[in-house]
Amino acid sequence: MNDYGLPENAIGTMLTKLVDMLGQDIPLRPVMTAYRDFVLEHEHLLENVVEPVKSNTKADQLRQEGSRHYLAKRYEQALEKYNESICYAEAGSEQLAIGYANRSAVYFEQGEYEFALLNIRLARNHNYPEKLMAKLDTREKNCRKKIDEGFAKDNVPCPRMGINVEVNSKISFLARGVGMKQYPGSGRGLVAERNFKTGDVILDEKTVISVVGSPFKFLYCSHCGISNQHSLIPCPNCVMYMYCSEECLAEDKRLTHRFECGFGAQSENITFNGSNIAPKLFLYGLTLFNDDMEQMMKYCEKFANTGANPLTLDYTKYDPLEEFKMLHKAKLPCSPLVEYTFKLCAAVNYVVLMKQPAVQSLVTSEAQKRFFMNSLYHYQRVSSYFSWECNSPTHSTPAVSGLMTIGSLINHSCDPNALVNYESGRFKCVFLRPVRKGEQITTSLGPAWFLFESQPASELSFECRCQVCRNGSIIDWLKTAKPLRTSALADLGLCLEVMGNDSANDAAKLNAFQQFFQRYAQYLPCLEMAFHVRSYLGLLLDAFRKENVKLNRAKIAASVV
């Protein structure tokens, strides 16, 4: 990252130059053609980008690096290097099969015996050398023995973190009694149309589009965004995309990867914090319109920014085109602070994509080119406002960014009543306290009264108008709390006892906090309860993570045991 916090690639360099221009009051007309011309003036930054190609020599080198990590028991680093080796291995080569076999050794050492068996199968199916087969056979027998003896890791989540209330009759991943409402200053938002309790999980949504951050391309599925314990398979034709299954590989190729294949390095050169969702969304829509640019133009130009309520969709008769249209029609706020970023990202994507033969063959007339460029700008805005990020604790770039329809409606508050979690390709929402009929459903995008070291609301990319900020500040908000009565203080102590009890399982710990906040929510915000709110958040996030791992493990177990 440079001094502006921008990536060291073409888009980062162009954004830096643009920021410097704006800081010197050098005007740039606020139209897409001006941004396109700005990109063309700096087109040298887009040239000489070398696309990596399959190479058994490179694969062998990477595999040896992975083996050094393996011998040092740095298993996560070993998996990443083995995955990179698998991506570089030429189709049908022994290098590919040996990569899978090496990966099975890592999973055996981690006690992930089902994943070890899956990779042993992959090795056998991809030309594994007969002279090494005895070693693989022995590992398979040892895996099955460990499973038979009960040493396999748990694959039954406790607690379950799916929707635990009655569901919407037409949207099975959304609770009944959740609606959409327009709010002054923040636009669309979700509203409770009935009372809910602490711990109610009201949303469990799959993403429409997912993109993987460049540093994580060998760790997550390029289609659905899950890690699959990093047990991934490569695109057979390019180096920079991996998938959790043959199904995801085939579906991504059908929808968007046919345009992206062999374009990964160029995409990295022009990507900034998930900005590659926008071109992927356009290509996804084009596929849904059967590659008919004229039909896509006819609809999209007529209905852009006309407004949409995704809660009117009927998912019992799922139509991805209708879902796409809902995203396209949404009215979006306009923030001058970030509009130049959207336009520049759209313009650089346009210039680069128009050099791709698969795109050139479909975008031919001047009207189509204009529509393509303007759509990329519109989808930059859509992706910015409607996507969520799965962040890495070790990197500033999001591991995965995902776009969704219903989850995009949840607005920010510094006094949130809900927690959202985007992980393993799914977006979930759970209530932190009781929510009354008529309340807006909100989460925190960083600032919150109980997170003392979080960023201030003034650093958000929008003006926060929640009740905390309208009241003055978090300190002022805390002053509005009622003093805790003696019984509440005693129950706070009981929660901590349960939290520290090694014999209490995760479900019991969550239940203790949920009962407490259900009973004493009227005392929020309360400084004495801030630690308990943070503890409850931590338990919920841990429960989501464990459930994802165990469900994925169960899925693999069903296929190999």
Side-chain angles (χ1 to χ4, degrees), residues 100-115:
Y100 288 133
N102 286 165
R103 209 164 62 180
S104 74
V106 175
Y107 291 124
F108 184 83
E109 293 301 323
Q110 291 180 322
E112 296 286 359
Y113 303 118
E114 296 89 350
F115 282 94

Side-chain angles (χ1 to χ4, degrees), residues 127-196:
N127 200 30
Y128 190 70
E130 189 62 35
K131 63 185 178 182
L132 301 176
M133 195 64 76
K135 188 176 181 180
L136 205 62
D137 291 341
T138 299
R139 187 175 299 140
E140 179 177 11
K141 289 175 183 176
N142 289 337
C143 283
R144 296 195 181 280
K145 182 181 178 183
K146 290 286 188 182
I147 292 171
D148 291 342
E149 291 174 349
F151 289 107
K153 290 185 177 181
D154 185 15
N155 60 18
V156 180
C158 180
R160 293 299 297 263
M161 300 301 294
I163 294 181
N164 53 9
V165 293
E166 185 182 350
V167 299
N168 184 301
S169 61
K170 293 186 177 181
I171 308 174
S172 62
F173 54 85
L174 177 69
R176 180 187 67 82
V178 175
M180 193 191 89
K181 183 178 176 180
Q182 292 288 334
Y183 290 92
S186 56
R188 305 183 306 171
L190 289 183
V191 61
E193 297 179 337
R194 64 182 180 91
N195 294 339
F196 288 94

Side-chain angles (χ1 to χ4, degrees), residues 412 414 444-457 459 474:
H412 165 80
C414 299
S444 171
L445 298 180
W449 67 265
F450 48 81
L451 298 174
F452 302 140
E453 296 182 359
S454 62
Q455 67 177 127
E459 293 184 6
I474 285 178

